[in-house]
Amino acid sequence: MTDRVVKKNPVSAKFVVAGGFGVGKTTFVGTISEIDPLRTEAKMTSASLGVDDTSKVATKTTTTVAMDFGRITIDDDLVLYLFGTPGQERFSFMWNDLVNGALGAVVLVDSRRLADCFYAVDYFESRKIPFVVAVNEFDGMVAHEIDAVAKALQVGPDVHVISCDARSRDSVKNVLLDLFEVILERMMAANAAAVTA
Amino acid sequence: MALNDPVEPEVEMERDFVRPFLATAGRTRSSLSDLRIETLVEATAKLEDGLRFEAARVAKLCREPNSVAEISAKLKIPLGAVKVIVGDLVGSNHVRTHKTIEGETPEDMQLISRLIAGVRKL
Ligand SMILES: Nc1nc2c(ncn2[C@@H]2O[C@H](COP(=O)(O)OP(=O)(O)OP(=O)(O)O)[C@@H](O)[C@H]2O)c(=O)[nH]1
Ligand SMILES: [Mg+2]
């Protein structure tokens, strides 16, 4: 075998694409990824202890949770990954492992099923992870719906709520660039605070 | 520290796989909790001889840098198991892990600027 020469120190970053069941997360990731979204699985064992106290036997069921992700190779030493969260809320316990270290997040919203995204919005807000809300254009979106969504979500004025079509590359690109803007603003604010402190 | 955090009471994620990294060398950088799904893993020059089957497959795949998630997807090994294998391989010096950009250090700023330029060009 030939010796492998280690040349560069590649670094990677991660965005998370969250939102309710069937809102277009996989589509969003697939639209911009250079590879067909890959699927990774985590096995989860739920022990239903206490369900049947008399038997004192824990019944274990193993569920497989799948998430898909895409990759954007920026350079030979710089990679951006996009991870779609599992859509169903009952898998939300997986989010910590998925979201830890994320540079930012996109919350995809279907305006007809607004409540489906509350969990994601709360999650990123409480953990101070930069995020944007992207309203997926299922029936063709009109501008005033965006305002209505922003109002209904009760997010602060600093949270960007934008429209997007998860099937369009340009649209997905815009969402990502918007998210980067939020991230930079956040970092600069943090720097400024550090200087004045 | 996600892996060591108490999980919701009724749900244990791959507890069977998750054991402390101490088994090998206890170097802090390579502790399992530092290993994120996006962390790039790259083989060192050390030969893969003598590695057990799955570890050898992982080391081989990582001759090109692959993220933990990619290793899992390409080799069809569940994420938790990949983390354990990679942790062991770091301990035995067969692979090393690379940094992730989390937006917390000044040097991240430059990297983020490069990410933006790259996405813009897509
Ligand atoms: N009209 C329209 N359809 C869309 C759009 N985005 C996704 N879809 C469709 O909506 C369906 C669900 O999309 P997915 O990308 O699978 O949604 P998901 O969020 O990954 O779903 P789960 O992983 O099951 O939660 C698919 O049939 C898509 O083709 C969009 O912007 N407009
Ligand atoms: Mg999906």
Side-chain angles (χ1 to χ4, degrees), chain A residues 91-132:
Chain A
F91 294 137
S92 53
F93 66 89
M94 276 194 66
W95 280 37
N96 288 347
D97 206 28
L98 186 72
V99 172
N100 269 340
L103 200 50
V106 175
V107 178
L108 268 183
V109 176
D110 177 345
S111 58
R112 299 164 303 181
R113 295 180 293 143
L114 207 54
D116 288 4
C117 75
F118 290 171
Y119 178 83
V121 169
D122 287 346
Y123 186 94
F124 297 124
E125 237 170 19
S126 67
R127 284 170 182 74
K128 307 220 182 313
I129 292 165
F131 69 97
V132 295

Side-chain angles (χ1 to χ4, degrees), chain A residues 41-58:
Chain A
E41 297 188 339
K43 287 216 168 60
M44 155 201 119
T45 311
S46 53
S48 15
L49 252 181
V51 169
D52 182 1
D53 277 26
T54 49
S55 73
K56 296 256 163 50
V57 176

Side-chain angles (χ1 to χ4, degrees), chain A residues 1 3-14 32 35 38-49 51 60 67 69 71-81 83 92-94 96-103 169-170 173 176-177 180-181 183-184 187-188 191, chain B residues 1-3 5 7-14 16-17 35-40 42-49 59 63 65-67 69-70 72-74 77-80 83 94 96 98-105 108-109 111-116 118-122:
Chain A
M1 195 200 298
D3 270 6
R4 289 188 291 274
V5 187
V6 182
K7 312 141 273 190
K8 290 204 170 185
N9 284 320
V11 289
S12 54
K14 155 177 80 183
I32 199 81
I35 50 168
L38 287 171
R39 173 158 275 246
T40 178
E41 297 188 339
K43 287 216 168 60
M44 155 201 119
T45 311
S46 53
S48 15
L49 252 181
V51 169
K60 280 200 167 188
M67 2 176 220
F69 64 97
R71 170 175 173 141
I72 302 171
T73 305
I74 302 287
D75 220 329
D76 60 355
D77 64 345
L78 191 57
V79 185
L80 176 64
Y81 289 100
F83 284 87
S92 53
F93 66 89
M94 276 194 66
N96 288 347
D97 206 28
L98 186 72
V99 172
N100 269 340
L103 200 50
R169 199 176 163 82
D170 278 341
K173 215 173 106 172
L176 299 186
L177 290 172
F180 273 121
E181 213 172 282
I183 292 163
L184 283 183
M187 288 182 79
M188 288 190 290
N191 279 353
Chain B
M1 298 303 289
L3 281 168
D5 283 348
V7 222
E8 283 182 16
E10 293 201 353
V11 189
E12 288 206 347
M13 220 182 104
E14 297 178 55
D16 298 358
F17 287 120
L35 215 49
R36 306 204 186 282
I37 53 180
E38 74 275 23
T39 299
L40 289 168
E42 186 173 13
T44 62
K46 190 166 173 183
L47 297 179
E48 290 131 21
D49 305 353
R63 288 176 190 177
N66 270 277
S67 63
E70 282 170 302
S72 167
K74 291 179 184 172
I77 306 173
L79 271 179
K83 288 191 177 181
H94 284 92
R96 63 203 185 104
H98 294 291
K99 282 189 196 149
T100 55
I101 310 164
E102 300 182 9
E104 274 154 11
T105 65
D108 279 359
M109 197 78 122
L111 290 165
I112 291 169
S113 300
R114 283 183 58 206
L115 286 174
I116 294 172
V119 168
R120 219 169 249 146
K121 269 193 282 183
L122 289 177

